Amino acid sequence: MENNMVDIYLFGKKYSVPDNLTIMRAMEYAGYQLVRGVGCRNGFCGACATIYRIKGDRDLKTCLACQTKVENDMYVATLPFFPLVKQVYDMDKLSVNETVMMQLYPEIYSCIGCNACTKSCTQGLSVMQYIAYAQRGDFKKCAELSFDCVMCGVCSARCPAGISHPQVAMLARRLNGKYIAPECKHLEKRVEEIKEGKYDDEMKKLENMSLDDMKNLYNNRVIEK
């Protein structure tokens, strides 16, 4: 069965591509060699942040190029990098209170509540809400709500207050993991066992295993309760 062809515009230039391709595959089909703005190709790394508009529609839409299919008369521009503000800090010296955000990311208190961040999120996250949790010092809720963030930066690109939402969320998740979430004794025990070499033989088997055998092993694994 042959695929239908659609017309898309990549950086203003028109191309005819099969309609079953993602934007990323369509760019390669059109002859682009992707050396930046491409990573995992499966929606996890956030490197392929993209903005587009459909002809006749005034709305500017956002997506990840690796997981969004092309549409006819789609005008595409990629954002391979957005300059987020990333503060340097020592996790062992941070205090878990409301002042930590004020010290490192004071711009979050300039949020005007426009919700542009949420509307533009490629993962469909409630970005403005998790920033509100960060403002209140509720790092646990901020961490939970931002868990699926892939750090693409589109939310920050649309923010009039200049907030670096992904970095704020990352700090909240680090604070939650280090200071708030309960310790996992089972994990600590397993790490010690790995250090002692208890699983060296199993690791050697995995290293020599074919990809198909490894997938089969994973899909039929026994999950601990």
Side-chain angles (χ1 to χ4, degrees), residues 8-207:
I8 64 171
Y9 297 81
L10 302 175
F11 309 103
K13 189 174 181 179
K14 184 178 179 180
Y15 297 91
S16 183
V17 302
D19 66 355
N20 68 328
L21 299 180
T22 62
I23 293 175
M24 183 176 288
R25 294 298 185 189
M27 293 179 72
E28 293 176 319
Y29 180 91
Y32 285 83
Q33 183 179 8
L34 302 179
V35 294
R36 293 185 60 192
V38 57
C40 66
R41 292 179 177 267
N42 287 295
F44 297 106
C45 74
C48 61
T50 299
I51 56 176
Y52 69 91
R53 177 175 279 142
I54 304 300
K55 185 177 181 180
D57 187 349
R58 294 176 60 87
D59 291 340
L60 187 65
K61 301 178 182 180
T62 59
C63 69
L64 297 179
C66 68
Q67 59 183 205
T68 304
K69 283 192 174 182
V70 294
E71 298 179 47
N72 194 50
D73 286 337
M74 174 186 274
Y75 288 76
V76 177
T78 60
L79 297 171
F81 172 77
F82 186 80
L84 299 173
V85 174
K86 182 180 180 180
Q87 301 295 354
V88 178
Y89 47 82
D90 186 338
M91 285 300 299
D92 292 325
K93 296 180 181 178
L94 292 182
S95 299
V96 189
N97 53 51
E98 294 180 9
T99 63
V100 67
M101 284 294 178
M102 177 63 77
Q103 294 168 355
L104 293 172
Y105 295 105
E107 64 271 16
I108 67 173
Y109 300 96
S110 299
C111 175
I112 63 174
C114 67
N115 212 29
C117 52
T118 298
K119 292 177 181 177
S120 66
C121 179
T122 58
Q123 298 294 90
L125 304 181
S126 298
V127 183
M128 191 175 77
Q129 182 59 60
Y130 79 61
I131 290 297
Y133 285 136
Q135 291 172 333
R136 298 176 214 157
D138 194 338
F139 305 126
K140 182 177 184 295
K141 287 185 178 179
C142 180
E144 291 173 351
L145 207 56
S146 68
F147 186 79
D148 288 327
C149 174
V150 293
M151 310 289 286
C152 69
V154 172
C155 53
S156 297
R158 302 301 302 278
C159 179
I163 298 172
S164 291
H165 311 74
Q167 295 298 342
V168 172
M170 177 65 77
L171 174 56
R173 292 196 297 275
R174 286 172 173 170
L175 290 169
N176 183 60
K178 185 172 179 63
Y179 296 110
I180 302 172
E183 294 185 8
C184 181
K185 298 299 182 181
H186 177 79
L187 178 61
E188 291 180 359
K189 179 183 177 181
R190 184 55 52 85
V191 170
E192 288 301 318
E193 290 175 342
I194 292 172
K195 289 180 179 179
E196 293 168 0
K198 183 176 179 179
Y199 300 100
D200 286 354
D201 291 341
E202 284 81 355
M203 289 300 297
K204 289 179 180 178
K205 290 179 182 178
L206 289 174
E207 290 173 357

